[in-house]
Amino acid sequence: MAKNPIYQIHDPRFARMIVGSARLEELYTGCRWAEGPVWFSDANQLLWSDIPNQRMLRWTPEGGVSVFRQPSNFANGHTRDRQGRLISCEHGTRRVTRTEMDGSITVLAESYQSKRLNSPNDVVVRSDGTIWFTDPTYGILSDYEGYRAEPEQETRNVYRLDPQIGELEAVVTDFNQPNGLAFSPDEKILYVADSGASHDEGLPRHIRAFDVASGGLANGRVFATIDNGIPDGIRTDMAGNLWSSAGDGVHCFAPDGTLLGKILVPQTVANLTFGGPRRNRLFIAATTSLYSIYVTATGAQMP
Ligand code: MG
């Protein structure tokens, strides 16, 4: 295993989470900045974003790649709610939307305290139906991944949305650039990446953990710091390990924050998700390409 150039094993536990003979497969290339992979087990398909190209792409094992939606309003991160509906963060419109089963779009959030959001980046749904998303400024910094604008919000927040009553609450307000998020399998912990170092080396490149208290978050602490590049999208597996995007690939952390190992990827990784019928296949959005690799871990995300 040590001779295998795509795996870096920092802890023996990681050797049991990978398939030694498994290789990185490039499923598609031709994106400008690939992001936001989301798996649809019922449709056996992956959707993801190609943000600067204003499009969302679809991959299926049988059919390959096709355009799912264009223009996409510079969509970034996606997830699904408990009814299986697509939830999307859009830079161009600075909103979070839900795609209904008939294809129509419902706007879930676009302002907070009567001011426009910055540019929603990534999103997760808890089993109680609440929608949690991050709102950094990446989508308004230039005209490349959205439309350049001055932020109206004074801070870059993590939000909790109750779609039943439309209530939007800023649950963390002290991030530099909040980015990917993921719940632990028992939903008692919310992990949120801070990718502030993307534009200033002195700013955070870490993942914070919060205890999920009734309706809010408590006991925020630094869970892990990324040693190559920045953390962007993150996911957890059924055993509670956290898998993070990074400059040199995918980093896997134990629930106590120990770096277990890395899967090296030839391009900067922006996001990842578990998919396939057994949720044991990592789909990796990495700059111009979509990659996949089988692992022995099983993704925690639902549905
Ligand atoms: Mg992101």
Side-chain angles (χ1 to χ4, degrees), residues 30-42:
C31 295
R32 286 203 162 92
W33 184 250
E35 250 284 7
V38 56
W39 179 253
F40 286 66
S41 53
D42 41 358

Side-chain angles (χ1 to χ4, degrees), residues 116-135:
R116 294 186 78 185
L117 298 173
N118 296 319
S119 51
N121 188 290
D122 216 340
V123 58
V124 285
V125 175
R126 201 159 179 260
S127 59
D128 62 4
T130 53
I131 297 169
W132 304 62
F133 66 94
T134 54
D135 188 41

Side-chain angles (χ1 to χ4, degrees), residues 128-150:
D128 62 4
T130 53
I131 297 169
W132 304 62
F133 66 94
T134 54
D135 188 41
T137 56
Y138 292 119
I140 55 173
L141 291 177
S142 75
D143 292 318
Y144 189 61
E145 292 195 8
Y147 302 108
R148 183 196 299 270
E150 288 298 316

Side-chain angles (χ1 to χ4, degrees), residues 33 35-36 51 76-77 91 120-123 134 136 138 178-181 193 195 231-234 245 270-271:
W33 184 250
E35 250 284 7
I51 304 176
N76 187 340
H91 284 179
N121 188 290
D122 216 340
V123 58
T134 54
Y138 292 119
N179 205 318
L181 357 66
S195 56
D232 194 332
I234 56 177
S245 53
N271 213 329

